Amino acid sequence: QTLQRFQLSGNADAEPLSRGADGRARPGPASQLSGGASAEEACVPWSRFSAWLECVCVVTFDLELGQAIEKTSICYLSFPDSYSGCLGDTQFSFRLRQSVGRVSGSWFGEEDKYNRDAPLILQKELAHFYGYVYFRQVKDVSVKRGYFQKSLVLVSRLPYVQLFQSLLQIIAPEYFEKLEPCLEAVCNEIDQWPPPVPGQTLNLPVMGVVIFSVSLVFQNLLPAPMVLPTIHELDLFKCFQSVLIHLQMLWELMLLGEPLVVMAPSPTISSETVLALVSSICPLRYCCDFRPYFTIHDSEFKEYTTRTQAPPNVILGVTNPFFIKTFQCWPHVLRLGEVKMSGDLPKQVKVKKLAKLKTLDTKPGIYTAYKTFLHKDKALIKRLLKGIQRKRPSEVQSAILRRHLLELTQSFIIPLERYLASLMPLQRSVTPWKTPPQIRPFSQDEFMATLDHAGPQLTSMLKGDWMGLYKRFFRSPNFDGWYRLRHREMTQKVECLHLEAVCDSDLLTWTKDKSEVEIVDLVLKLREKLMRARKHHLPVKEELVEKLENYIQIVISSLPEDLQTVLHKH
């Protein structure tokens, strides 16, 4: 295979265009500010742009120029490999690990208001970037190889696949015709957008089109409106139409964080299938790594293909047949082809033995030895297949599918949530003068004992070995991630209850018969509590915080002047 060489116009290291003194756009570093529309933030160059995008990349296939920059991962991931045969315009997505040592913007992590308010599935990535690609390959006799090949890539930490792919459909064709001036204008327009705010409707103008948020609706101001009902949800039915009878197996593999390779005929099918699989266990967060489009040039290629250790917990979307040989030792491989019809219905792939995954012309199928814990939902499959025969719209089929997967995941998670709630200390045990009580540790045996009377059978009709599925889940990264998140939330809840108890107590009366050392110790502990409440954004009423601050000042004023001076300084 010929090594593909690319030129990257612009900077792949988060340096979108910025304005010069004359007001024109020029390359420059992106501001690391997420977005508020305050006057102070508006003064910071590219703050609003950076709330939506990390950078915009233009990647050009050039045989002679070679690697113009070091960011080869973005270059290779921005082009379909030669086996895909993508002529015309192609759209797909990839996900890229952030460079080691790179510092995230100051708005990420605990201080990030967006992530505090956004649902898990819409939260910004802290250690990865998404790349949304619009690739064009057309015949061009003026080019040595006879083809014009170029990609426009939007790099962002936001998982808004539908929004950004729809945005590319508007700006990429214009860019390929008008080049840099068009891109400069678009970047300047995005820099005028308000920041993404969960639950709000936002006007997002670009090139004569206005996009609205929440379910971000596109409204073309010139002809009739074009509606985009979601910013992130894919057409699940389109993604799963050839594996409908194996949905239960795929859902369990995602729930358990099993290693899975998706081999597809194009990066579009590869990336959409991987993202659809990850979303299938929503509202549970998928805590493993996933790569919607993965190539042999990826920096993690050696890490993910080593045979000296067990395959990692990751989903890889690939298109190069070379991977069939590389991933023979992986436990689960989903080989997809172009969708074929059997009468009115899409032909369903079969489950096959891994030993048959050997030749480059391997037929479509799920190559695995995995046996599902739960039985198939035959009523759902029948309903979906009947919907195809009745020409039911794909979006309706997707809604049926999404609701089924949501209810299945919730039926699995509700018993865990119910048991977790029982580990919380009683509210009456939270007193102001004692350290907050501890949350009881999670006991798998204790939880399993609750399933007989409070298990998933209360909300799901599916039969099978639910207990076996829970036992396997406890060994998965998804359980670890879920438990860490929920334990942190519970710890913060106990902190809030303790803070409220302290605010409702009579601090001044308590200090009357206490020594200066004990009073100073109290002041320091209360200050630490306030600092933690602000740092972790605990949901405590502002009036309670102000009341506690006033208490602290009154207590300090009761101390000798020398101690007051010391405490005011610190």
Side-chain angles (χ1 to χ4, degrees):
Q1 184 187 10
T2 307
L3 174 67
Q4 295 178 333
R5 300 173 183 271
F6 309 107
Q7 176 186 9
L8 184 64
S9 305
N11 191 325
D13 193 18
E15 295 189 351
L17 303 168
S18 62
R19 294 190 189 86
D22 59 356
R24 287 181 59 79
R26 290 195 173 85
S31 163
Q32 301 267 321
L33 201 82
S34 100
S38 69
E40 182 184 349
E41 288 168 338
C43 294
V44 180
W46 297 101
S47 62
R48 295 187 179 186
F49 179 98
S50 298
W52 293 92
L53 294 172
E54 193 75 11
C55 59
V56 177
C57 302
V58 177
V59 189
T60 305
F61 185 100
D62 195 315
L63 265 180
E64 297 173 350
L65 197 61
Q67 296 290 4
I69 66 159
E70 188 187 351
K71 307 295 174 187
T72 55
S73 287
I74 286 185
C75 291
Y76 285 119
L77 288 168
S78 299
F79 281 81
D81 63 44
S82 56
Y83 295 96
S84 300
C86 298
L87 277 174
D89 292 353
T90 303
Q91 287 187 259
F92 59 96
S93 313
F94 61 81
R95 185 168 175 266
L96 188 68
R97 186 183 293 174
Q98 179 176 290
S99 304
V100 177
R102 179 190 169 92
V103 179
S104 297
S106 60
W107 68 90
F108 296 116
E110 292 173 339
E111 301 297 327
D112 182 18
K113 187 176 187 306
Y114 172 85
N115 270 11
R116 289 201 313 275
D117 299 336
L120 287 174
I121 200 162
L122 292 181
Q123 288 183 358
K124 288 176 183 173
E125 289 271 2
L126 303 183
H128 293 84
F129 297 112
Y130 287 97
Y132 303 100
V133 183
Y134 193 107
F135 168 69
R136 174 168 289 184
Q137 178 173 257
V138 291
K139 287 187 175 181
D140 187 343
V141 292
S142 66
V143 181
K144 250 191 175 182
R145 294 190 66 179
Y147 286 94
F148 167 93
Q149 294 171 301
K150 185 174 283 192
S151 287
L152 183 62
V153 187
L154 305 180
V155 180
S156 175
R157 293 182 185 272
L158 293 166
Y160 295 174
V161 59
Q162 284 287 31
L163 169 66
F164 288 126
Q165 291 292 12
S166 299
L167 181 60
L168 280 169
Q169 287 171 12
I170 297 169
I171 65 175
E174 286 288 312
Y175 164 72
F176 290 135
E177 295 294 325
K178 300 174 183 174
L179 302 178
E180 271 69 21
C182 164
L183 206 52
E184 291 176 8
V186 167
C187 288
N188 285 329
E189 283 186 297
I190 293 173
D191 193 38
Q192 302 305 310
W193 287 4
V197 179
Q200 284 194 14
T201 299
L202 306 174
N203 291 332
L204 309 175
V206 62
M207 293 178 65
V209 177
V210 173
I211 313 166
F212 297 98
S213 171
V214 176
S215 296
L216 287 171
V217 179
F218 272 74
Q219 182 182 348
N220 194 323
L221 297 182
L222 305 175
M226 176 178 70
V227 176
L228 183 70
T230 173
I231 58 173
H232 69 287
E233 290 177 345
L234 292 157
D235 186 339
L236 281 190
F237 179 72
K238 176 186 166 190
C239 295
F240 292 150
Q241 59 182 321
S242 63
V243 292
L244 291 175
I245 62 174
H246 306 299
L247 275 177
Q248 185 59 46
M249 175 187 286
L250 293 171
W251 177 82
E252 287 187 19
L253 292 178
M254 294 303 100
L255 182 73
L256 302 175
E258 286 286 309
L260 174 68
V261 177
V262 176
M263 294 185 176
S266 72
T268 304
I269 296 174
S270 156
S271 58
E272 288 184 352
T273 303
V274 169
L275 292 174
L277 285 168
V278 168
S279 72
S280 68
I281 60 169
C282 181
L284 188 67
R285 185 203 288 272
Y286 183 78
C287 296
C288 308
D289 196 1
F290 59 95
R291 302 302 172 90
Y293 178 52
F294 187 78
T295 76
I296 59 173
H297 305 289
D298 198 287
S299 55
E300 279 83 56
F301 175 74
K302 286 184 180 178
E303 175 187 338
Y304 287 158
T305 56
T306 177
R307 299 196 179 201
T308 58
Q309 57 192 41
N313 300 94
V314 61
I315 313 175
L316 300 179
V318 302
T319 59
N320 191 331
F322 165 79
F323 281 113
I324 291 177
K325 186 176 180 181
T326 309
F327 291 122
Q328 278 182 353
C329 60
W330 279 48
H332 320 289
V333 177
L334 172 58
R335 179 80 157 101
L336 297 171
E338 297 294 345
V339 176
K340 294 180 180 178
M341 301 302 288
S342 177
D344 294 335
L345 305 176
K347 196 172 182 180
Q348 299 294 292
V349 303
K350 296 178 180 178
V351 175
K352 301 183 179 183
K353 293 178 180 178
L354 281 163
K356 293 187 176 181
L357 189 72
K358 285 183 177 177
T359 58
L360 292 182
D361 59 346
T362 299
K363 293 180 179 178
I366 302 179
Y367 294 81
T368 180
Y370 181 83
K371 302 297 180 186
T372 59
F373 288 92
L374 307 181
H375 302 160
K376 291 178 182 177
D377 189 330
K378 293 180 180 178
L380 170 77
I381 297 168
K382 189 176 179 181
R383 186 182 179 192
L384 290 171
L385 294 177
K386 191 172 283 187
I388 299 171
Q389 293 173 323
R390 293 179 177 177
K391 303 289 190 291
R392 187 184 291 146
S394 186
E395 56 268 25
V396 179
Q397 295 276 76
S398 287
I400 293 169
L401 203 46
R402 187 170 284 108
R403 183 181 179 86
H404 166 78
L405 292 168
L406 175 66
E407 289 176 351
L408 183 57
T409 306
Q410 286 179 329
S411 292
F412 183 83
I413 291 297
I414 286 171
L416 285 163
E417 293 283 0
R418 191 182 291 120
Y419 170 70
L420 213 60
S422 73
L423 304 180
M424 279 283 284
L426 296 173
Q427 190 162 348
R428 65 172 177 266
S429 68
V430 181
T431 59
W433 314 120
K434 290 182 181 178
T435 304
Q438 294 291 304
I439 298 163
R440 288 198 301 118
F442 190 102
S443 165
Q444 293 182 20
D445 292 337
E446 198 174 81
F447 166 74
M448 297 300 252
T450 68
L451 293 180
D452 285 339
H453 63 274
Q457 71 275 7
L458 297 180
T459 52
S460 176
M461 300 293 289
L462 275 188
K463 305 296 182 184
D465 183 9
W466 285 96
M467 293 185 78
L469 186 59
Y470 280 114
K471 286 176 183 176
R472 187 85 171 261
F473 178 67
F474 290 144
R475 303 198 300 269
S476 76
N478 287 334
F479 170 72
D480 184 62
W482 170 81
Y483 179 68
R484 285 172 185 269
L485 176 65
R486 296 293 288 114
H487 192 272
R488 185 168 70 245
E489 290 171 351
M490 290 163 68
T491 303
Q492 290 180 353
K493 175 65 176 174
V494 173
E495 279 282 331
C496 286
L497 291 172
H498 190 246
L499 199 58
E500 288 173 8
V502 170
C503 291
D504 290 337
S505 64
D506 189 348
L507 289 176
L508 295 179
T509 302
W510 182 85
T511 59
K512 282 181 180 178
D513 59 343
K514 298 296 184 292
S515 67
E516 290 178 358
V517 172
E518 288 176 301
I519 295 173
V520 169
D521 185 55
L522 172 69
V523 169
L524 294 176
K525 283 181 177 176
L526 291 178
R527 278 182 170 175
E528 185 186 356
K529 248 187 189 319
L530 278 175
M531 188 177 71
R532 275 207 307 272
R534 289 202 168 97
K535 183 180 178 182
H536 298 297
H537 303 282
L538 299 184
V540 183
K541 293 177 182 176
E542 189 58 36
E543 53 264 33
L544 280 179
V545 174
E546 290 175 2
K547 183 179 177 182
L548 188 56
E549 284 177 331
N550 289 334
Y551 270 153
I552 292 171
Q553 294 307 318
I554 293 169
V555 170
I556 290 175
S557 64
S558 69
L559 293 167
E561 285 191 15
D562 57 335
L563 279 176
Q564 286 188 41
T565 305
V566 171
L567 288 172
H568 282 308
K569 282 182 179 178
H570 297 84

